[in-house]
Amino acid sequence: MNQDIKKLSESIAPLRKELLNHPLYLSLNSKKALRIFMEQHVYAVWDFMSLLKALQRELTCVSLPWVPTGNPSTRRFINEIVLGEESDVDNNGAPASHFELYIQSMNELGADTETVLQFIEKIKAGQPFISSADSQKVNQETINFMSYTFEIIQRGNPHEIAAVFTFGREDLIPDMFIEIVKGLQEKEGVSTSRLLYYLERHIEIDGGEHGPLSLQMIDELCGNDPIKWNDALQVSLKALQMRIELWNGILKQIDKN
């Protein structure tokens, strides 16, 4: 492993451990708790696509006339991820983005999707995403999480966007959720086939060659520049902290209910 990546990984390890041992997971022991979780987590599923699209914009050619842009391996990686996230198939073989798969999962569990779909319609109409979020139903921690994502996107530094994408988003978390969801299905007889499909597809998309390629992307973008490596570390730490705060907000809401 590249020494800079190794050093960065070691530096973020304590926050990753805190995230992976968060008490939220133990609280997802009922259908109601899982609904509350999904009604907030769906916004993290949504803003991931903007993070990915920002990378596609920075690392591939999305303007006319076309010219070859950046590293071909990185271009392929980003375009593969976009294909998998934006144009996957559902468990019936119909095309769907992972956001749409998540909405299907919410519907299956009886979670509220009206709030997030209204949020999307407001964005389509040109409203800023912060004012589009219904603060009566969207936790402040959830809004803060999205705000940090867009702060990184708007700064427009590819190495920072790539770092948040690679180190700041969930990679091991879906494995945990699969066990939780399976347990809930056995315990309460809850239909979770769509959610399990979403989680399994998420793992499949992130697995295999995508992990090494994402690290290769970081290495390419930071190169031998110690300032960029430090930038990557700082935004990764903040992204993990924002995820922990997102989890804290959801746990507080579950405990209240």
Side-chain angles (χ1 to χ4, degrees), residues 34 37 178:
L34 192 56
F37 169 80
I178 282 183

Side-chain angles (χ1 to χ4, degrees), residues 59-226:
L59 302 178
T60 74
C61 182
V62 292
S63 60
L64 296 174
W66 178 87
V67 292
T69 304
N71 183 301
S73 296
T74 305
R75 287 200 306 264
R76 181 178 178 84
F77 167 62
I78 293 300
N79 287 330
E80 278 186 358
I81 294 290
V82 170
L83 174 65
E85 291 283 347
E86 191 174 29
S87 310
D88 205 354
V89 292
D90 66 17
N91 52 352
N92 294 314
S97 68
H98 279 205
F99 174 78
E100 289 160 324
L101 290 178
Y102 202 83
I103 294 293
Q104 291 175 10
S105 303
M106 292 176 71
N107 285 328
E108 181 181 51
L109 281 161
D112 168 44
T113 58
E114 183 179 349
T115 301
V116 69
L117 293 178
Q118 286 177 350
F119 168 80
I120 295 296
E121 288 306 313
K122 289 176 183 176
I123 290 173
K124 285 181 180 178
Q127 290 189 33
F129 82 91
I130 291 181
S131 62
S132 298
D134 183 347
S135 60
Q136 298 299 311
K137 295 183 179 179
V138 182
N139 293 344
Q140 186 58 52
E141 294 89 347
T142 304
I143 294 172
N144 292 345
F145 181 88
M146 293 189 287
S147 296
Y148 183 65
T149 297
F150 279 88
E151 177 187 330
I152 294 301
I153 289 170
Q154 287 160 6
R155 290 210 306 235
N157 298 321
H159 66 290
E160 291 186 335
I161 299 171
V164 171
F165 177 89
T166 301
F167 299 109
R169 307 304 290 217
E170 66 261 79
D171 51 3
L172 300 178
I173 292 169
D175 285 311
M176 294 185 172
F177 283 155
I178 282 183
E179 295 309 310
I180 290 166
V181 171
K182 283 180 179 176
L184 189 61
Q185 186 170 262
E186 292 168 4
K187 176 184 170 185
E188 296 196 6
V190 178
S191 177
T192 58
S193 60
R194 289 183 181 273
L195 179 56
L196 284 170
Y197 178 81
Y198 164 83
L199 292 169
E200 287 163 355
R201 289 296 290 169
H202 194 83
I203 291 168
E204 185 178 344
I205 292 294
D206 287 346
E209 66 180 20
H210 289 167
L213 277 173
S214 66
L215 296 178
Q216 181 182 317
M217 172 177 65
I218 294 287
D219 190 25
E220 178 190 335
L221 292 172
C222 291
N224 296 316
D225 188 335

